[in-house]
Amino acid sequence: MGCAGSFPSPDSPASCYLVEADDAELRTWRVVLDLGSGALGPLQRHARLDALDAVVLSHLHPDHFTDVCGLYVFRRYAPGGPVPGTVPVYGPTGVAARIGQAYGADPADLATAFDLRELADARPVTLGPLTITPYRMEHPIQAYGFRLEARAGRRTEVLAYTGDTDTCEGLLPLAKGADLLLAEASFQEGRDEARGVHLTGLRAGQAAAEAGCRRLLLTHVPVWTEPEVVLAEARSAFPGPVELARPGAVHVV
């Protein structure tokens, strides 16, 4: 839904990815990875907001979670009455307090719409046909990447999403053998010297190569970074297919 880094760009909302997977009964599960600023609008083109099975937040910077506030308004205050039940919202430690702070509500009020749950490093979460394993990443605040696995016949399909991170120990188990690695590439080699914040295109490509991924998709590219530069960096390190994430694009894992 959105792939702009740090804040929405003229062409894209901030981070938000809709993952769909069918279970054995061919019921389609819909899980949202991050719900950053501006993403709730385009999400409605692809999924009913009252039919989401879960929202999973990598970390609690505004460009990755603030449109959860709009989802709360939809579920709580629609003219026909509140949406029945609650939707699970997973996030780092303190997720309930952080969303309450952003919306200006007591976290207890959020419980009318959300079942707020905290993630733990390497502790899997099962959502229908999906097993989602969070791995701690390296970022200035507590942040996770997600390894999503789903059975497809005799094999397991794997989507790995880095969230925001620099190179770290968690990247290899997160991405190992992934069919698709969705990796941030906010920084640019030779320009951004700070470490412990973001990947460059080169470091994303190196991570994909080390993990033996099949495909690499670069995302979270901010407006001041030239996409073709980080794309070329990644291609110099990863021999497989590399693309840039685009709003509204669909990728089959």
Side-chain angles (χ1 to χ4, degrees), residues 37 40 42 56 75 93 102 104 112 131 140 166 175 181 208 224 238 245 253:
S37 39
L40 194 66
V56 185
R75 295 189 64 87
T93 303
T112 60
T131 298
D166 198 350
L181 173 60
W224 47 64
F238 179 61
V253 179

Side-chain angles (χ1 to χ4, degrees), residues 13-241:
S15 293
C16 180
Y17 312 93
L18 175 64
V19 178
E20 297 182 325
D22 291 338
D23 61 18
E25 285 74 40
L26 298 183
R27 190 273 222 199
T28 300
W29 288 69
R30 293 177 175 86
V31 175
V32 175
L33 301 181
D34 285 338
L35 193 49
S37 39
L40 194 66
L43 178 60
Q44 295 170 73
R45 300 191 194 115
H46 301 272
R48 286 173 37 194
L49 296 185
D50 60 354
L52 301 178
D53 292 292
V55 177
V56 185
L57 305 174
S58 65
H59 65 292
L60 299 174
H61 276 152
D63 60 318
H64 290 260
F65 92 94
T66 51
D67 269 25
V68 171
C69 296
L71 182 60
Y72 171 74
V73 172
F74 169 82
R75 295 189 64 87
R76 181 69 179 84
Y77 295 110
V83 176
T86 58
V87 64
V89 177
Y90 295 83
T93 303
V95 60
R98 184 73 175 96
I99 294 173
Q101 178 189 48
Y103 182 69
D106 188 297
D109 295 336
L110 301 176
T112 60
F114 299 144
D115 178 6
L116 290 150
R117 308 180 186 184
E118 294 185 350
L119 299 164
D121 187 31
R123 183 183 298 170
V125 172
T126 300
L127 294 167
L130 293 168
T131 298
I132 304 176
T133 305
Y135 288 93
R136 278 295 297 269
M137 297 287 102
E138 185 171 358
H139 200 54
I141 64 172
Q142 186 182 119
Y144 292 95
F146 301 117
R147 181 181 178 89
L148 291 81
E149 298 173 292
R151 292 291 298 173
R154 296 183 177 181
R155 70 182 302 269
T156 299
E157 297 169 338
V158 179
L159 166 66
Y161 169 49
T162 66
D164 284 8
T165 188
D166 198 350
T167 302
C168 63
E169 290 184 2
L171 271 179
L172 183 58
L174 170 81
K176 189 171 180 61
D179 295 285
L180 178 63
L181 173 60
L182 178 61
E184 72 117 303
S186 305
F187 279 0
Q188 191 173 304
E189 291 290 322
R191 186 195 68 184
D192 302 298
E193 303 299 333
R195 295 306 302 261
V197 185
H198 291 298
L199 294 169
T200 62
L202 177 65
R203 297 201 289 268
Q206 291 169 337
E210 181 183 5
C213 300
R214 292 179 57 195
R215 291 187 289 150
L216 175 60
L217 185 62
L218 301 178
T219 192
H220 201 272
V221 180
V223 296
W224 47 64
T225 295
E226 176 54 53
E228 295 300 324
V229 171
V230 292
L231 181 63
E233 290 178 4
R235 286 175 171 166
S236 73
F238 179 61

